[in-house]
Amino acid sequence: MERTLVIIKPEAVRKKLVGKIISIYEDNRLEIIHAHRVLATSDVLKLHYQDLITKPFFEELVSYMSSSECVVLILEGEHVVETVRKINGATDPGKADPGTIRYMYGETLQVNAVHGSESVEKADLEIEIWRDLIRYEKGSKR
Ligand code: DAT
Ligand code: MG
């Protein structure tokens, strides 16, 4: 079954939006198979955002994402990668469609409430990158 990695970003956790955000995924019939609240390390974030390493905002992004704890979720379901991207909305909350998580809870391009993997391949890679930090067991059927 397809899986994806979601990060409820620091500001959304600080604002106690975790329950509301998880409910949106569940209301869309997606299954939360793992959830872990953790302070991200810069090592994991640099791997997670490795494709953005040349961007001018990279250091600020890593620093924001480790500014306080986030909640990392693994979701499972048919077409879960694409479904989560749709539910999350456009990267820029100002351009996100009404009803999406980023429209409702995002603040800025950087402080945009949630992360969702971009493709099935990236989802598998991200799950490996975060696995130890979020204590998601290897070989777990789930
Ligand atoms: P997404 O999170 O929608 O996959 P992305 O992969 O292009 O978007 O960028 C990853 C994160 O980096 C994004 O959620 C917020 C931040 N970001 C992207 N573009 C940015 C920019 N121009 N200025 C500041 N932060 C940016
Ligand atoms: Mg991305």
Side-chain angles (χ1 to χ4, degrees), residues 49 52 85 115-118 122 126:
Y49 284 125
L52 301 174
R85 295 281 295 186
H115 162 85
S117 312
E118 281 172 40
K122 288 290 298 250
E126 290 171 6

Side-chain angles (χ1 to χ4, degrees), residues 9 49 52 57 61 85 89-91 102 109-110 112 114-116 118:
K9 297 188 179 186
Y49 284 125
L52 301 174
F57 57 83
L61 177 63
R85 295 281 295 186
T91 309
R102 283 165 164 175
L109 196 46
Q110 179 178 269
N112 60 0
V114 282
H115 162 85
E118 281 172 40

